[in-house]
Amino acid sequence: MLRKTLLLIYLLLSSVSYTLAQDIRNSFYYSPHINEGLSQLSVRVIHQDSRGYIWLGTKNGLNRYNGKEYTVYQENPSDSLSLTNSDILSLAEEPGHALWIGTSYG
């Protein structure tokens, strides 16, 4: 009888832990402060560079996160050194630490 009771308890606990694991895997954490400084909440691409910065590419610019705050880079037609377009599609870093940014215009 003790053996059957222990088996029943084990099966119940196993099913509960499996259910909890499924809920955790499919959950999404949202912080109300996540968009403070971010150019747009819909992030297309994320890259962490060799210096530790987190780069986030959105439809509305490139965002660099240093662990405390965001710096936003966007297209500025009057600045020849700005992005060619604010719609960021890809990010890559070369061995020399240069960050390559792919936009919808190249």
Side-chain angles (χ1 to χ4, degrees):
M1 182 69 175
L2 178 62
R3 194 174 192 174
K4 287 182 181 180
T5 304
L6 289 175
L7 180 61
L8 180 61
I9 291 172
Y10 172 77
L11 290 174
L12 287 173
L13 290 176
S14 296
S15 65
V16 169
S17 65
Y18 176 76
T19 303
L20 290 175
Q22 293 297 315
D23 289 340
I24 291 170
R25 186 184 69 199
N26 294 323
S27 67
F28 175 78
Y29 174 74
Y30 174 77
S31 168
H33 305 290
I34 195 168
N35 65 341
E36 291 180 6
L38 193 61
S39 65
Q40 185 184 39
L41 280 179
S42 180
V43 176
R44 288 183 161 174
V45 61
I46 300 173
H47 174 76
Q48 183 173 12
D49 69 15
S50 57
R51 296 178 186 114
Y53 292 113
I54 304 291
W55 296 87
L56 303 117
T58 72
K59 283 182 137 184
N60 193 28
L62 179 64
N63 303 263
R64 184 184 74 182
Y65 184 65
N66 66 6
K68 294 181 183 177
E69 61 189 3
Y70 292 98
T71 302
V72 178
Y73 302 93
Q74 294 175 316
E75 173 187 14
N76 182 353
S78 62
D79 183 0
S80 63
L81 299 177
S82 73
L83 294 171
T84 58
N85 187 270
S86 292
D87 188 7
I88 310 301
L89 301 175
S90 62
L91 298 168
E93 184 179 14
E94 66 178 31
H97 306 293
L99 184 67
W100 287 82
I101 303 155
T103 72
S104 60
Y105 288 169

